């Protein structure tokens, strides 16, 4: 009876992966009392085959879930319509609640029938036994067997906690439960606080901005968090996960962030290969509609690097919503996981990020700045390590006019703000002007023409920068160029711009080829 209840309440099972010989437990090693022995993979189909009762019940519940999602998004319009028609009176609501209760009871009955269908299926019973054993004891053998199944990620046990003792002890406490301090609003200075009258005047706009950000705004900025889109992409995501697990020996893990969100990750380890780049870990940060299953993770994989992919909060297996603070908390636990559980040193970790859309104008500007501000340039300037920006010359998403107008590409602003912060004397008026001319070049021939016009000597630029670093240290900002003439600053500005930004002739969604995946320049 207990097993039947577990089948009723258990997660949906999507796929059973092919078990690899390298993952099987060595012979002669005794199993723990709570471990479960899985049958040979040859006797199981790699795709889970539900019985007819479970299959039809699942279809009914999935349809009900889609209708509920549509009702949720259209509820404001529905309530307005019902109010105008007078259907929200007590005499109308009571019969409606009876209908809703009857429908819920029918759906509960369908869920019970689905549980009976699962209970009669030996594949599902084997899976639920392994899942329960793993929740009781997360031994290496139990987790290895559980990794052979792809199921609803909500039921996956947590593999890494943000407060894990080994990580918090060495990092001096880490973030608090309120979140990573990086994105907290800084306190107002004396004399800058608004008066009560100004606050009252701003209140309507602030309320409107909040409502827009937490309804349409978040879903426009991060369409990947919309349930209906995820439902439509489910077959593609399952196929991508299968490829990563079966072909790349990927290991899935659930990380618990400090805000309570559960982050879905996939790790591919290449450290035991003969390729030197396998010792480097590339953490892939997907775009606003991207998932690690089908996203930019393919580029560093093809280049031979170890890779850690993760989904934004609210995307696929990750819980929560993708607001900036949640994003920072998620990234924090991902990096902690890479260092303290996977064993990579910080200097061997590379962050590879793909895009994020922007909004402009009117109320949207206020909404984004107050609630959805990712302040990329500010965060980039706080980073002291090497950086490489890849500008897509035909990008149709992050250009503010047309793709052909390369000067409207927002990547230009990131480069200029980064160089102005790190090398303020070099990026004075003369340096800024010549870098803008270089950014207007849309081909390698035009870039080379600008370099030859200003007679950029790379050896001289390198010697100046190395001498400054040896005397003053590596921390930015640098005062190099303060005693230099205009020609020297222009040469140095062009040299630095070329080292920090590479062009890639492609549109926004074109995957980056492996040969274009290069390490950032550093002295």
């Amino acid at each position: 009876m207990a097993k039947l209840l577990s089948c009723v309440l258990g997660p949906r099972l999507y796929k059973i992966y092919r078990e690899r010989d390298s993952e099987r437990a060595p012979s002669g090693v005794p199993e723990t009392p709570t471990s479960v022995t899985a049958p040979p993979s040859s006797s199981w189909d790699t795709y889970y085959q539900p019985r007819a009762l479970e299959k039809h019940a699942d279809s009914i519940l999935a349809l009900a879930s889609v209708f509920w999602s549509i009702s949720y998004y259209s509820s404001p319009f529905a309530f307005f319509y019902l109010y105008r028609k007078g259907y929200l009176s007590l005499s109308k609501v009571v019969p409606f609640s009876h209908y809703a209760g009857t429908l819920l009871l029918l759906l509960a009955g369908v869920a019970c029938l689905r549980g009976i269908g699962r209970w009669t299926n030996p594949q599902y019973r084997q899976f639920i036994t392994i899942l329960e054993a793993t929740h009781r004891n997360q031994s290496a053998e139990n987790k290895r067997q559980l990794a052979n199944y792809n199921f609803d990620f909500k039921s996956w046990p947590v593999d890494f906690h943000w407060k894990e003792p080994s990580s918090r002890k060495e990092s001096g406490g880490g973030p608090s439960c309120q979140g990573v301090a990086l994105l907290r609003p800084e306190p107002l200075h004396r004399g800058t606080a608004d008066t009560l009258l100004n606050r009252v005047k701003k209140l309507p706009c602030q309320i409107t901005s909040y409502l827009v950000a937490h309804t349409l705004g978040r879903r426009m900025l991060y369409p990947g968090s919309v349930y209906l889109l995820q439902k439509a992409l489910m077959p593609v995501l399952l196929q991508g996960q299968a490829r990563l697990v079966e072909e790349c020996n990927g290991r899935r893990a659930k990380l618990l962030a400090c805000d309570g969100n559960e982050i879905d990750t996939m790790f591919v380890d290449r450290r035991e290969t003969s390729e030197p780049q396998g010792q480097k870990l590339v953490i892939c940060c997907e775009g606003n509609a991207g998932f690690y299953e089908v996203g930019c993770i393919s580029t560093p994989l093809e280049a031979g690097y170890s890779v850690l992919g993760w989904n934004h909060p609210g995307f696929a297996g990750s819980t929560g919503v993708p607001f900036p603070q949640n994003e920072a908390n998620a990234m924090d636990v991902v990096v902690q996981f890479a260092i303290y559980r996977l064993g990579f040193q910080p200097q061997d970790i590379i962050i590879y990020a793909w895009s994020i859309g922007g909004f402009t104008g009117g109320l949207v500007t206020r909404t984004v700045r107050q609630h959805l501000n990712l302040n990329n340039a500010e965060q980039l300037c706080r980073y002291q390590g090497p950086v490489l920006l890849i500008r897509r010359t035909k990008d149709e998403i992050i250009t503010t006019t047309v793709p052909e107008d390369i000067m409207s590409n927002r990547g230009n602003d990131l480069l200029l703000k980064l160089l102005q912060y790190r090398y303020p004397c070099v990026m004075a008026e003369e340096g800024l002007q010549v870098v803008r001319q270089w950014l207007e070049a849309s081909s390698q021939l035009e870039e080379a023409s600008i370099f030859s016009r200003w007679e950029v000597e790379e050896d001289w630029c390198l010697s100046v920068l190395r001498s400054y670093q040896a005397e003053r240290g590596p921390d930015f900002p640098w005062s190099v160029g303060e005693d230099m003439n205009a020609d020297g600053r222009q040469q140095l500005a062009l040299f630095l711009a070329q080292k920090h930004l590479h062009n890639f002739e492609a549109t926004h969604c074109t995957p980056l080829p492996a040969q274009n995946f290069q390490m950032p320049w550093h002295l």
Side-chain angles (χ1 to χ4, degrees):
M1 192 64 184
K3 186 64 66 178
L4 176 59
L5 182 61
S6 298
C7 292
V8 172
L9 302 178
R12 184 175 181 182
L13 179 58
Y14 299 114
K15 183 178 174 65
I16 304 174
Y17 296 126
R18 294 189 299 269
E19 188 173 5
R20 289 142 293 181
D21 293 336
S22 60
E23 289 190 347
R24 294 179 183 168
S27 59
V29 178
E31 297 179 350
T32 61
T34 55
S35 65
V36 179
T37 304
S41 59
S42 59
S43 64
W44 298 79
D45 188 359
T46 57
Y47 284 94
Y48 172 62
Q49 301 295 331
R51 299 289 174 87
L53 185 60
E54 179 188 356
K55 181 178 180 181
H56 295 311
D58 249 337
S59 299
I60 295 173
L61 293 175
L63 187 62
S65 177
V66 170
F67 279 134
W68 170 255
S69 181
I70 294 174
S71 302
Y72 174 79
Y73 291 123
S74 60
S75 57
F77 305 102
F79 275 112
F80 179 75
Y81 175 80
L82 293 174
Y83 175 77
R84 291 293 302 270
K85 294 294 183 179
Y87 292 142
L88 294 182
S89 61
L90 187 61
S91 60
K92 302 285 186 180
V93 170
V94 172
F96 176 77
S97 64
H98 292 164
Y99 297 141
T102 303
L103 180 60
L104 289 176
L105 287 175
L106 289 174
L107 291 177
V110 173
C112 291
L113 291 175
R114 180 181 64 177
I116 295 173
R118 292 172 172 175
W119 184 64
T120 61
N121 192 327
Q123 283 186 318
Y124 194 90
R125 288 205 310 272
Q126 179 70 43
F127 156 70
I128 203 68
T129 302
I130 294 174
L131 179 61
E132 290 176 340
T134 307
H135 277 287
R136 289 193 301 268
N137 180 12
Q138 292 196 34
S139 66
E141 175 62 17
N142 285 343
K143 293 178 72 172
R144 181 193 67 80
Q145 293 183 18
L146 188 65
N148 289 327
Y149 296 91
N150 189 349
F151 55 97
D152 190 348
F153 202 62
K154 293 179 182 178
S155 299
W156 189 284
V158 173
D159 296 286
F160 184 82
H161 195 285
W162 71 279
K163 283 199 300 187
E164 191 162 299
S166 60
S167 64
R168 293 304 127 197
K169 183 190 300 183
E170 297 179 33
S171 61
S176 67
C177 294
Q178 297 177 351
V180 179
L182 185 65
L183 289 176
R184 289 182 192 163
E186 297 182 359
L188 291 174
H189 299 287
R190 182 178 298 177
T192 60
D194 289 339
T195 63
L196 179 61
L197 180 60
N198 285 336
R199 290 183 179 182
V200 172
K201 288 180 179 179
K202 293 178 180 179
L203 189 59
C205 285
Q206 290 176 345
I207 294 175
T208 305
S209 298
Y210 180 87
L211 293 175
V212 170
H214 287 76
T215 54
L216 293 176
R218 188 254 297 176
R219 292 169 177 84
M220 292 173 63
L221 189 63
Y222 284 97
S225 65
V226 177
Y227 171 76
L228 293 177
L229 177 61
Q230 296 181 27
K231 195 74 175 176
L233 291 175
M234 181 62 72
V236 179
L237 299 182
L238 293 177
Q239 184 178 2
Q241 282 183 3
R243 181 183 67 86
L244 291 171
V245 171
E246 296 179 341
E247 298 179 13
C248 303
N249 200 18
R251 302 204 304 264
R252 201 176 185 188
K254 176 185 284 188
L255 317 183
L256 185 63
C258 59
D259 51 15
N261 288 336
E262 298 171 346
I263 307 303
D264 182 8
T265 68
M266 180 70 73
F267 172 56
V268 178
D269 195 354
R270 298 280 180 80
R271 283 175 288 189
E272 296 185 0
T273 63
S274 58
E275 298 295 333
Q277 58 265 36
Q279 305 302 315
K280 301 281 187 179
L281 176 68
V282 179
I283 299 179
C284 297
C285 306
E286 301 294 342
N288 59 349
F291 304 83
Y292 74 70
E293 293 89 342
V294 290
C296 63
I297 194 174
S298 60
T299 297
L301 276 179
E302 292 178 10
Y305 292 88
S306 295
V307 177
L308 177 60
W310 63 284
N311 281 328
H312 297 284
F315 281 49
S318 297
T319 62
V321 290
F323 284 110
Q325 184 63 65
N326 304 102
E327 290 282 304
N329 298 338
M331 191 63 191
D332 171 74
V333 75
V334 168
V335 173
Q336 298 292 344
F337 175 69
I339 296 173
Y340 297 107
R341 179 61 63 83
L342 301 181
F344 286 91
Q345 297 299 317
Q347 62 268 22
D348 293 327
I349 296 177
I350 303 152
I351 307 298
Y352 175 43
W354 181 317
S355 173
I356 185 63
F359 295 90
T360 55
L363 177 62
V364 175
T365 301
R366 172 186 291 270
T367 302
V368 171
R369 285 179 177 173
Q370 291 188 0
H371 303 285
L372 299 170
N373 184 16
L374 300 181
N375 54 0
N376 292 333
E378 178 185 346
Q379 306 302 342
L380 186 61
C381 289
R382 294 184 182 183
Y383 176 62
Q384 291 285 321
V387 173
L388 175 62
L389 303 175
I390 299 176
R391 182 179 66 167
R392 295 165 182 268
T393 57
K394 297 181 180 180
D395 200 307
E396 73 281 12
I397 302 297
I398 62 170
T399 49
T400 55
T401 57
V402 293
E404 291 75 19
D405 183 12
I406 198 170
M407 283 304 293
S408 69
N409 190 302
R410 301 301 294 176
N412 302 337
D413 299 271
L414 278 179
L415 175 68
L416 292 175
K417 289 179 179 178
L418 177 66
L419 294 182
Q420 286 175 317
Y421 172 77
R422 292 190 169 189
Y423 312 97
C425 298
V426 173
M427 292 300 292
E429 183 177 354
E430 301 90 350
L432 182 62
Q433 181 180 2
V434 73
V435 171
R436 287 187 182 277
Q437 292 179 12
W438 178 78
L439 287 172
E440 290 180 2
S442 56
S443 66
Q444 293 183 352
L445 184 61
E446 293 181 19
E447 290 181 24
S449 174
I450 294 175
F451 260 66
S452 62
R453 186 193 315 165
W454 295 102
E455 300 179 347
V456 178
E457 298 179 12
E458 293 198 8
D459 293 339
W460 175 80
C461 294
L462 281 172
S463 66
V464 169
L465 295 173
R466 286 170 178 165
S467 298
Y468 180 91
Q469 185 184 51
E471 294 178 5
R472 307 285 185 88
D475 294 338
F476 296 107
W478 286 9
S479 59
V480 61
E482 58 184 349
D483 299 327
M484 199 176 290
N485 58 30
D487 290 340
R489 286 197 295 269
Q490 288 170 335
Q491 283 193 50
L492 208 52
L494 279 175
F495 173 81
L496 291 168
Q498 186 192 46
K499 295 299 184 182
H500 286 82
L501 184 142
H502 291 176
N503 283 329
F504 175 45
E505 189 176 352
T507 57
H508 184 78
C509 294
T510 304
L512 185 71
Q515 61 267 24
N516 290 76
F517 188 84
Q518 303 174 10
M519 292 298 99
W521 169 83
H522 61 89
L523 287 174

